[in-house]
Amino acid sequence: MPKIITGGNKLNNNLFELGLNEEIIEEFKQYYKDGYIGRVITEYKGMYKVITENDIILSQISGKISFEAVDRNDYPAVGDWVVLDRDRSDRGNAAIHGILQRKSKLSRKVAGTDIDEQIIASNIDIIFICMSLNQDFNLRKLERYISIAWNSGGTPVVVLTKSDLCEDISEKLTEVEKVAIGIDIIHVSSLTYEGLEELKKYLTFGKTVVFIGSSGVGKSSLINLLLGQDRLKTNEIRESDDRGKHTTTHRELILLPEGGVVIDTPGMREIQLLDEEESIEDAFSDITEISKHCRFSDCKHDKEPGCAVVKAIEEGVISKSRLDNYNKLKKEAEFIKRKMDRKAELKYKKEIIRRNKKIRNNNKI
Ligand SMILES: Nc1nc2c(ncn2[C@@H]2O[C@H](COP(=O)(O)OP(=O)(O)OP(=O)(O)O)[C@@H](O)[C@H]2O)c(=O)[nH]1
Ligand SMILES: [Zn+2]
């Protein structure tokens, strides 16, 4: 029976199995006089389920966190290591007093027009970017996911799913290799189990992995296989469009029987980048490299004379659609960055006002 963290009390959890390490403990010791370390498993309407060494305990943020929070980033996210005031549910709900530094975080822009960061998962080591080898196969979308993944601080791995539905895998692999530069690529099938062993190699003791990719590409099916049971509901395929309906509704941290922790995320339908010009350069390192040979350092790779990128397109080294996508993503990132900079400025001003108020109040006493 795999050990699954969902709720119900289970004593003597090994937090190292869940990714705890000396660095986290050091930070805790340095900044907190007392309290208990735990990791956020799920979040539901402002409440957090946190696993501690002794229990799984429903927690809410302390008044201090709530008072000091300026944006979503200041609230706990699934995967966070937090400090609680108690570690046993028989003593009531716990309060989260602090969030320990996030080593990595996978975030996106929140849905809609608002420029706000939404952390999908934190403290992740590996990001499995899932794309199916049939209908969902789209290199432009993959480039976008790669940018998001590089931005997180985790390591991306491209997982091409539903290999049983693809007749010419090597052709698809060649295409993917051109855009997933320096990234491991594996192909798997939840039906024939092809590639499953290769996937498992990434799931080792204490490592946290996350599966991202469009709805219906088979993320839940893969996690189920890793768990060895039908733990996550997978949906019946809709014949017309060969895509599953949206099934994953909340994020959860799952401990795999053979080691490794999986954070399951809902299908990221509206993928929007967040202030990540640098990671776009990482994701398109071939274009960045070639552009060093453009005659002008500020070349837009459009109609400038001596453009090495245009030449590479003519020679078939890079596809025109890859360059178009690069330009599009960069423009988006620049736009978002401008808005984020304005927001950061506001956040800073608010913080100054808050501090001054605190100083004034302290002086009154
Ligand atoms: N042929 C084939 N079908 C698969 C494979 N993996 C998943 N499917 C089917 O694809 C559909 C969607 O699979 P899910 O695992 O629910 O997809 P998901 O990515 O978790 O979807 P969301 O939860 O919406 O994000 C289901 O009907 C699965 O049975 C595969 O390897 N081969
Ligand atoms: Zn150029």
Side-chain angles (χ1 to χ4, degrees):
M1 229 343 240
K3 237 192 298 181
I4 305 159
I5 297 159
T6 50
N9 301 346
K10 189 171 78 65
L11 298 182
N12 299 323
N13 303 309
N14 179 356
L15 293 182
F16 289 96
E17 209 173 12
L18 285 162
L20 183 68
N21 57 45
E22 291 304 326
E23 210 179 313
I24 298 167
I25 296 172
E26 268 316 301
E27 189 195 338
F28 167 67
K29 281 190 195 157
Q30 197 176 343
Y31 296 102
Y32 296 87
K33 283 197 293 290
D34 46 29
Y36 300 87
I37 293 185
R39 194 168 191 196
V40 178
I41 300 176
T42 43
E43 183 215 328
Y44 184 70
K45 290 191 174 161
M47 293 295 283
Y48 303 87
K49 245 194 224 172
V50 179
I51 182 161
T52 64
E53 206 174 346
N54 290 311
D55 214 342
I56 288 167
I57 179 164
L58 206 59
S59 317
Q60 55 198 111
I61 51 168
S62 67
K64 183 172 174 282
I65 291 192
S66 158
F67 177 70
E68 290 182 355
V70 179
D71 59 33
R72 282 162 171 257
N73 245 324
D74 301 323
Y75 289 92
V78 173
D80 275 351
W81 287 98
V82 292
V83 179
L84 301 178
D85 63 343
R86 67 198 72 189
D87 72 335
R88 296 279 291 272
S89 55
D90 55 9
R91 296 178 198 148
N93 289 352
I96 299 174
H97 281 294
I99 304 166
L100 297 170
Q101 207 178 343
R102 295 173 179 131
K103 186 183 67 184
S104 60
K105 60 182 168 125
L106 186 66
S107 44
R108 64 164 178 177
K109 190 177 104 49
V110 293
T113 51
D114 201 15
I115 305 289
D116 221 349
E117 178 178 3
Q118 181 187 12
I119 299 177
I120 296 163
S122 74
N123 300 314
I124 26 165
D125 299 293
I126 299 208
I127 297 150
F128 287 125
I129 302 174
C130 301
M131 187 169 85
S132 82
L133 280 159
N134 59 337
Q135 255 85 337
D136 184 62
F137 191 84
N138 181 330
L139 295 174
R140 307 289 80 87
K141 209 147 91 177
L142 182 63
E143 288 168 338
R144 184 167 275 236
Y145 276 115
I146 290 173
S147 271
I148 292 176
W150 278 131
N151 197 40
S152 72
T155 307
V157 173
V158 173
V159 180
L160 301 170
T161 61
K162 307 194 186 181
S163 64
D164 57 287
L165 296 177
C166 179
E167 277 172 13
D168 195 346
I169 295 174
S170 64
E171 180 202 14
K172 290 275 199 295
L173 277 177
T174 313
E175 287 181 55
V176 173
E177 273 161 15
K178 281 189 194 150
V179 310
I181 300 157
I183 301 175
D184 289 355
I185 305 162
I186 56 178
H187 56 277
V188 297
S189 165
S190 297
L191 221 67
T192 64
Y193 303 162
E194 185 189 13
L196 204 67
E197 287 309 312
E198 224 173 315
L199 186 79
K200 280 185 182 169
K201 284 185 192 148
Y202 296 91
L203 306 156
T204 50
F205 185 92
K207 288 271 178 283
T208 301
V209 303
V210 67
F211 288 75
I212 63 171
S214 308
S215 184
V217 296
K219 300 181 294 296
S220 305
S221 306
L222 280 174
I223 297 171
N224 281 342
L225 274 184
L226 295 170
L227 275 171
Q229 65 171 54
D230 263 11
R231 159 131 170 64
L232 306 161
K233 246 198 331 203
T234 51
N235 240 333
E236 276 311 297
I237 211 149
R238 277 180 285 155
E239 266 196 348
S240 55
D241 61 6
D242 193 31
R243 292 169 65 123
K245 278 179 242 149
H246 195 63
T247 49
T248 316
T249 50
H250 60 288
R251 269 154 253 147
E252 207 165 89
L253 200 112
I254 307 157
L255 184 60
L256 296 174
E258 290 164 57
V261 176
V262 173
I263 299 182
D264 189 32
T265 73
M268 304 206 326
R269 283 163 181 225
E270 193 196 359
I271 316 156
Q272 295 245 24
L273 294 183
L274 251 180
D275 179 24
E276 51 187 319
E277 281 173 282
E278 265 175 40
S279 48
I280 294 175
E281 302 300 341
D282 286 340
F284 292 86
S285 57
D286 51 344
I287 294 184
T288 331
E289 212 32 59
I290 292 172
S291 67
K292 286 182 187 155
H293 303 288
C294 292
R295 189 178 302 165
F296 303 108
S297 59
D298 61 346
C299 183
K300 295 271 178 290
H301 323 307
D302 186 18
K303 293 193 174 67
E304 289 91 340
C307 173
V309 177
V310 168
K311 188 163 165 266
I313 290 171
E314 281 164 6
E315 288 169 356
V317 180
I318 301 173
S319 72
K320 172 82 169 60
S321 47
R322 179 160 167 83
L323 176 66
D324 289 345
N325 202 30
Y326 168 75
N327 285 330
K328 183 173 151 222
L329 296 185
K330 265 188 73 151
K331 237 186 233 158
E332 256 180 43
E334 277 160 23
F335 172 74
I336 289 172
K337 185 169 185 323
R338 273 200 302 277
K339 281 203 160 186
M340 295 275 281
D341 284 349
R342 270 205 298 277
K343 249 191 107 160
E345 209 177 297
L346 273 174
K347 182 173 173 171
Y348 180 71
K349 279 184 186 158
K350 260 172 123 172
E351 177 66 17
I352 297 284
I353 293 170
R354 196 182 62 77
R355 280 196 194 163
N356 286 342
K357 215 164 144 186
K358 207 169 165 184
I359 292 168
R360 273 202 306 276
N361 286 342
N362 286 347
N363 288 344
K364 269 185 214 159
I365 298 166

